[in-house]
Amino acid sequence: MSDPQATYLSDYRPPAYRVTHADLTFDLDPATTRVKARLHLARHPEREPGEPLVLDGEGLSLKAISLDGEPLEADEYAVDDKHLTVHRVPEAFHLDTEVEIAPEANTALEGLYLSNGMYCTQCEAEGFRRITFYPDRPDVMATFSTTVIGGTGEPVLLSNGNPVERGELPGGRHFVTWEDPHPKPSYLFALVAGDLKKVEDAFTTASGREVTLQIWVEEENLDKTDHAMASLKRAMRWDEQAYGREYDLDLFMIVAVNDFNMGAMENKGLNIFNSAAVLTHPHTATDAAFQRVESIVAHEYFHNWSGNRVTCRDWFQLSLKEGFTVFRDQCFSADTNSPAVKRIEDVAFFRTAQFAEDAGPTAHPVRPDHYIEIGNFYTLTIYEKGAEVVRMLANLVGEAAFRRGSDRYFERFDGQAVTIEDFVDCMAEASGLDLSQFMHWYSLSGTPEIDAFGEYDYAKAEYRLILRQRTPATPDQLDKQPLHIPVRLGLVGTKSGRDLPLTLDGETLGSDAVIHLREAEQEFLFTDVSEAPVPSLLRGFSAPVKLRFPYGREDLAFLLANDSDGFNRWDAGQRLAMLALDDLIAAHRNGVEKVMDPRVTEAFRGLLEGEPEDRAVLAEMITLPSEAYIAEQQPLVDVDAIHAAREFMRRGLATALRDDFLRVYRENQDDSPYAPTPEQIARRSLKNVALAYLMAIEDEDGVQLAREQFEADHNMTDVRHALTLLTHSSRDELSEPALKAFGEKWAHDPLVMDQWFAIQVSRPQPDVLERVKFLMQHPAFSLKNPNKVRALIGTFAGQNRVNFHRIDGAGYRLLADTVIELNRLNPEIAARLITPLTRWARFDEERQELMKGELERIRAEELSPNVYEVVEKALA
Ligand code: B3K
Ligand code: ZN
């Protein structure tokens, strides 16, 4: 398997043959499922006549093949481990093949597999070739008819489109035939068969079409579908209003499965979901899970237009559908919940995780120019940075032109497979803007940095702002050009505390404006600035860059108290905390006494004792930057010093503001029945942040409240938070009984057990590694289930920084052992799991050696292309 070949964007050619219609029949069986395919094919007009037909196919056992009804002789075709080649074919013809596959042996969860006895498929990106021989590329769009034959174990048989026929067959078998009238690429094919129950609802589209909505689950989960259904209906309405997009079939189905590599999949008319991304109940799911379900349901639904009706020409264009669809789901969630909190959460995550990806050995542009395994490119850069790039476009062209551009895009390219240029061209045409420099955002990897300097001239009433941009080299690109960067800003008057009117080059811009940085260095001179300002830069995180400005701590405290932009107020608080944390980290490393910066304490006091405003934003503002974010800001990551500094600050704040935290907790305690409303979620977040501070000093009232909150068992958000605080405390008599009670109560519910695993393995106590190993033997754990792997191993390696980076290397060893085992079972998940080891260059030499040693141990194995690609890059 070693030394797999790379695919290059520059090699793109249209397919030699197109499929106009595919007729499939599945005779299901765990060990030998028979797949018959009749493909109607025709030469692509841009390709020469006479080329052989080459179809993709992996792990298929070919049983029969004929062309236009004539069986082929052995010398008329060839099969290897990746392809079926028919040497001579006419201009237009149909090809019949029959293959056998074994769903029960499929642990990679790509193609057709079994999950909890239920048949399901995952075809994106290249899973369809594990089902039948096919030109498995997104620019081949065909209509599909699919007949599914099952037995008594599969009363429900589903596929894309509408059911058109069903009937009984001999031997207790039965079938359903589905027709999907919309041409689609093979990656959107889906099939589900099993003993499922449904919840049904209806939606009337803007033009009056009745759509049946179904959510299919295992019987015991029937009471966990309300929120997903309500979210789906909200998303359908929103897409009509925000983008003028209606649903286009009579039926829309969602199916929940337990074993799934990702969150969900947007198959046409039949979305398949990881059960964690669809099932909710106040007693089993937290607020965060409710919000995640809402956004994923919306995301997959939005793909119906951004992805399915208009799809990608090739996988290099993946962000065309993913970046745009993430942007769409972010806007939807912002409209449905608190927009400021949504932005804060998204950016906090982005700056931690995507910046780290950009700074590591797997850095790549939003549109990569080559890959070995496309499965490795479902990344934060493609998704989240792709969404930031679309957001910049939306801000550059303005709301109305953005809508005209998207209308144009959907109308012009409906039913086609297109490129990122096609999308940006529509925006350029709709706005009249020249977006050619902007296109660099798609080809540049790494995080651009802006160094900003400002000067106020009192006598001239001028403020001079200088912006310098550069993008540091990444392993894949050494030299980078300047980008077109929209910088939203305001100048906040130090006397008035208000945004000052902005006049730039004689033009009045209002008090909040976007300036365009295009040069490596550019000067902006604001005139008529009536008082000395503090600049509020990059408001709303208007571009995915690192911005440095020599703010003093007083400036930051001032912005935290006065900035009119909620996002930048929060950011000012984070920056202030970061400056103080830097001192504490240095003190820890130098072995000198740590001293709490009173400006941080006073700023937090001001927030807690000020006017009670948006509680959700307040909860974010009094949360310290995460250890992972702090690490991102350091030249060399010292995990122990970061942990010690952050804990010191948490305890310092808790000690100084104990009464405020207690009061805030009590004021926001609420016994009304659970609802995932923004108002309730805000109260719970604020109350729980306050409780976390009290527990940081193991305050007796705090301990008591945490216990009561756990025992009250009011809703999973509160229970889980209390359990986490008890489990992470230093007192075993608090943690052990609660963990035991929770584990016993929820032993039957796999999604709750995932939380139970995650809480335990994120404990700061040094014995946690032994606990991870112990829990890997727990009957509820299985390496074959991606949710379990993420909950236990993923959480430990990704979130328990002090213990994962133990200096004896035991954390690294455990991760590498797991990757080696998973490489055989599920390459996609194995490759993702390696991420923390790939970041070795950020640590001290001793840890670097240990981490590289583990990567080398992995490299010595027989590797899947997925793991091979990541390990090679990490060790390059
Ligand atoms: N498009 C899918 C991702 C599939 C990835 C498979 N390796 C989910 C989504 O982004 O909506
Ligand atoms: Zn998506």
Side-chain angles (χ1 to χ4, degrees):
M1 278 198 283
S2 61
D3 225 358
Q5 293 303 301
T7 306
Y8 291 86
L9 170 58
S10 54
D11 288 345
Y12 175 82
R13 288 212 297 168
Y17 296 90
R18 296 185 301 188
V19 181
T20 51
H21 181 73
D23 206 330
L24 308 173
T25 303
F26 290 79
D27 198 346
L28 297 173
D29 179 82
T32 31
T33 288
R34 289 223 149 203
V35 185
K36 288 189 200 167
R38 170 168 292 187
L39 308 183
H40 296 264
L41 294 131
R43 177 174 66 84
H44 194 287
E46 287 171 34
R47 298 279 298 252
E48 293 302 310
E51 290 189 55
L53 171 72
V54 183
L55 301 178
D56 301 298
E58 279 175 32
L60 308 174
S61 153
L62 183 65
K63 296 294 158 189
I65 177 166
S66 61
L67 194 151
D68 284 337
E70 290 295 319
L72 291 180
E73 300 293 332
D75 62 350
E76 292 178 296
Y77 68 94
V79 183
D80 64 21
D81 60 347
K82 291 238 158 91
H83 299 109
L84 162 68
T85 306
V86 182
H87 305 307
R88 263 185 307 280
V89 295
E91 293 271 293
F93 57 100
H94 68 263
L95 183 82
D96 288 286
T97 60
E98 190 173 336
V99 301
E100 274 178 11
I101 51 179
E104 70 180 5
N106 182 348
T107 56
L109 313 185
E110 273 190 292
L112 177 68
Y113 63 94
L114 278 170
S115 173
N116 226 9
M118 181 174 131
Y119 293 87
C120 56
T121 53
Q122 171 55 35
C123 295
E124 187 177 357
E126 297 182 334
F128 195 69
R129 63 189 62 189
R130 295 162 192 256
I131 292 177
T132 192
F133 288 107
Y134 200 83
D136 189 15
R137 42 188 287 166
D139 56 354
V140 172
M141 296 176 86
T143 52
F144 280 71
S145 307
T146 306
T147 299
V148 190
I149 304 171
T152 45
E154 300 86 37
V156 175
L157 305 169
L158 309 175
S159 190
N160 316 85
N162 302 310
V164 292
E165 200 186 339
R166 63 180 73 233
E168 301 300 318
L169 295 167
R173 311 278 290 169
H174 67 128
F175 76 94
V176 180
T177 300
W178 293 80
E179 265 178 25
D180 184 358
H182 297 284
K184 66 167 180 287
S186 49
Y187 82 85
L188 292 172
F189 172 82
L191 177 158
V192 172
D195 188 4
L196 291 159
K197 298 284 182 267
K198 68 163 184 273
V199 175
E200 196 166 283
D201 206 328
F203 180 85
T204 310
T205 68
S207 69
R209 177 206 267 273
E210 274 294 305
V211 183
T212 303
L213 310 176
Q214 298 175 341
I215 301 184
W216 293 89
V217 297
E218 287 164 302
E219 186 159 18
E220 66 268 26
N221 292 325
L222 276 170
D223 63 342
K224 301 195 184 90
T225 61
D226 291 356
H227 181 66
M229 187 66 93
S231 303
L232 173 61
K233 290 196 278 184
R234 277 198 291 279
M236 293 177 86
R237 194 61 78 211
W238 187 88
D239 211 16
E240 293 181 343
Q241 288 161 354
Y243 284 86
R245 298 295 117 199
E246 270 191 35
Y247 188 60
D248 53 7
L249 286 163
D250 302 332
L251 177 62
F252 185 84
M253 296 173 282
I254 286 178
V255 183
V257 305
N258 288 331
D259 304 281
F260 205 72
N261 282 352
M262 308 274 289
M265 178 64 212
E266 70 263 25
N267 318 296
K268 184 78 190 188
L270 178 56
N271 287 359
I272 299 181
F273 272 63
N274 186 326
S275 52
V278 63
L279 302 178
T280 55
H281 186 282
H283 283 122
T284 61
T286 60
D287 290 336
F290 271 84
Q291 289 181 321
R292 196 168 108 88
V293 165
E294 180 178 59
S295 83
I296 297 181
V297 166
H299 178 98
E300 305 311 331
Y301 174 74
F302 295 154
H303 269 315
N304 191 55
W305 276 97
S306 49
N308 301 3
R309 292 284 291 246
V310 182
T311 195
C312 303
R313 187 192 73 173
D314 52 71
W315 290 121
F316 297 102
Q317 321 295 329
L318 181 56
S319 194
L320 172 68
K321 76 177 178 79
E322 295 306 346
F324 186 23
T325 306
V326 170
F327 172 68
R328 275 150 58 68
D329 85 54
Q330 288 176 346
C331 295
F332 164 75
S333 296
D335 284 353
T336 325
N337 303 289
S338 157
V341 171
K342 173 70 182 154
R343 191 67 187 140
I344 290 168
E345 285 172 354
D346 287 346
V347 175
F349 173 65
F350 185 85
R351 292 200 301 208
T352 307
Q354 199 282 329
F355 280 8
E357 185 167 284
D358 255 350
T362 59
H364 56 278
V366 172
R367 178 164 58 189
D369 56 13
H370 70 281
Y371 58 73
I372 288 180
E373 171 52 60
I374 184 60
N376 287 339
F377 282 80
Y378 287 77
T379 59
L380 297 165
T381 301
I382 302 289
Y383 275 67
E384 268 70 23
K385 187 168 181 182
E388 292 302 323
V389 173
V390 175
R391 182 180 295 269
M392 285 190 285
L393 264 181
N395 287 331
L396 283 174
V397 304
E399 203 176 323
F402 188 78
R403 173 63 194 271
R404 285 199 302 279
S406 73
D407 283 352
R408 200 180 281 245
Y409 171 72
F410 289 128
E411 275 144 36
R412 185 181 293 170
F413 299 114
D414 190 10
Q416 296 184 41
V418 303
T419 63
I420 285 171
E421 279 79 5
D422 292 324
F423 179 75
V424 177
D425 283 351
C426 287
M427 293 301 163
E429 284 173 31
S431 64
L433 280 187
D434 176 1
L435 296 171
S436 42
Q437 189 188 359
F438 186 83
M439 282 304 292
H440 294 330
W441 278 106
Y442 287 102
S443 51
L444 229 69
S445 57
T447 306
E449 299 178 356
I450 299 180
D451 279 293
F453 307 93
E455 226 176 16
Y456 181 60
D457 185 327
Y458 182 81
K460 292 190 184 150
E462 282 174 358
Y463 188 79
R464 185 184 306 276
L465 181 69
I466 296 168
L467 301 179
R468 275 190 209 125
Q469 63 161 308
R470 70 179 270 274
T471 306
T474 47
D476 63 331
Q477 293 172 340
L478 301 176
D479 205 15
K480 324 257 184 182
Q481 300 124 303
L483 291 153
H484 181 177
I485 305 178
V487 179
R488 225 187 97 206
L489 82 177
L491 296 178
V492 189
T494 42
K495 271 202 202 121
S496 59
R498 296 253 164 89
D499 281 349
L500 305 174
L502 301 174
T503 308
L504 183 63
D505 300 326
E507 204 188 331
T508 339
L509 302 174
S511 60
D512 179 287
V514 176
I515 57 174
H516 295 233
L517 173 62
R518 296 170 186 266
E519 314 293 328
E521 176 171 335
Q522 220 169 315
E523 189 182 295
F524 300 86
L525 186 67
F526 295 94
T527 50
D528 303 317
V529 182
S530 56
E531 50 180 302
V534 179
S536 166
L537 301 169
L538 208 70
R539 283 184 163 171
F541 197 60
S542 64
V545 302
K546 287 186 183 163
L547 181 125
R548 284 184 290 258
F549 183 87
Y551 286 117
R553 295 184 200 206
E554 276 72 22
D555 295 338
L556 293 169
F558 171 78
L559 286 178
L560 177 62
N562 295 290
D563 201 321
S564 65
D565 183 64
F567 175 84
N568 267 21
R569 281 190 67 196
W570 167 78
D571 196 40
Q574 299 286 296
R575 284 174 189 263
L576 177 62
M578 276 307 306
L579 291 178
L581 283 162
D582 282 342
D583 291 348
L584 294 171
I585 291 168
H588 185 88
R589 288 175 66 89
N590 298 332
V592 299
E593 198 194 336
K594 299 191 204 51
V595 184
M596 182 72 191
D597 182 344
R599 280 164 292 201
V600 178
T601 316
E602 288 323 304
F604 273 51
R605 190 192 307 281
L607 292 171
L608 290 167
E609 295 177 1
E611 283 293 294
E613 50 182 327
D614 185 337
R615 291 186 171 85
V617 175
L618 181 56
E620 296 290 347
M621 291 206 282
I622 59 169
T623 300
L624 294 179
S626 67
E627 287 182 22
Y629 181 71
I630 302 168
E632 270 320 292
Q633 310 304 307
Q634 311 297 319
L636 183 84
V637 181
D638 181 335
V639 276
D640 297 316
I642 290 171
H643 182 72
R646 189 173 183 277
E647 282 310 295
F648 179 85
M649 186 177 279
R650 258 166 34 89
R651 293 194 189 120
L653 289 166
T655 309
L657 304 171
R658 183 229 177 236
D659 293 345
D660 281 313
F661 287 126
L662 200 56
R663 173 182 51 77
V664 166
Y665 181 89
R666 294 203 169 113
E667 281 171 6
N668 289 284
Q669 179 69 299
D670 177 9
D671 291 331
S672 54
Y674 177 91
T677 57
E679 153 70 6
Q680 275 201 13
I681 292 174
R683 282 181 176 275
R684 276 190 289 275
S685 329
L686 185 53
K687 164 187 98 166
N688 282 329
V689 173
L691 186 57
Y693 276 107
L694 295 171
M695 283 298 286
I697 48 173
E698 292 180 15
D699 176 271
E700 271 320 309
D701 285 334
V703 169
Q704 188 54 29
L705 290 171
R707 283 180 133 154
E708 281 167 18
Q709 181 166 314
F710 178 73
E711 272 148 29
D713 203 7
H714 187 272
N715 61 75
M716 184 51 95
T717 306
D718 285 349
V719 171
R720 185 193 162 144
H721 188 74
L723 179 61
T724 303
L725 295 177
L726 296 170
T727 303
H728 293 191
S729 79
S730 64
R731 289 156 55 179
D732 280 357
E733 80 274 15
L734 295 180
S735 63
E736 293 314 313
L739 273 176
K740 186 163 177 293
F742 188 93
E744 283 167 5
K745 175 166 181 191
W746 294 107
H748 64 281
D749 189 315
L751 294 178
V752 183
M753 289 306 277
D754 290 345
Q755 307 186 48
W756 186 72
F757 284 130
I759 290 168
Q760 297 184 65
V761 302
S762 48
R763 288 184 82 181
Q765 281 74 3
D767 62 349
V768 73
L769 192 94
E770 285 60 49
R771 196 183 280 249
V772 177
K773 290 185 181 158
F774 174 76
L775 289 172
M776 284 179 82
Q777 308 305 320
H778 192 280
F781 181 79
S782 162
L783 264 188
K784 290 189 178 163
N785 177 268
N787 289 355
K788 294 282 172 287
V789 173
R790 280 184 281 256
L792 195 61
I793 313 295
T795 306
F796 170 67
Q799 283 170 44
N800 198 334
R801 302 179 66 91
V802 269
N803 284 301
F804 174 64
H805 292 284
R806 268 165 62 147
I807 197 62
D808 65 356
Y812 307 147
R813 207 148 49 236
L814 176 82
L815 185 64
D817 287 340
T818 313
V819 167
I820 289 170
E821 216 175 325
L822 267 174
N823 168 59
R824 284 185 283 270
L825 293 171
N826 188 330
E828 192 175 6
I829 298 295
R832 280 178 181 272
L833 212 58
I834 308 172
T835 307
L837 286 176
T838 67
R839 306 281 158 79
W840 56 266
R842 306 277 290 112
F843 298 87
D844 55 80
E845 256 168 56
E846 205 174 341
R847 287 186 172 88
Q848 288 196 3
E849 289 313 311
L850 290 165
M851 292 167 99
K852 282 197 280 185
E854 293 305 327
L855 285 166
E856 264 149 21
R857 195 157 65 82
I858 298 172
R859 178 153 73 174
E861 296 284 314
E862 173 110 357
L863 293 181
S864 61
N866 308 58
V867 174
Y868 172 87
E869 182 174 31
V870 175
V871 171
E872 283 300 314
K873 281 186 176 166
L875 288 173

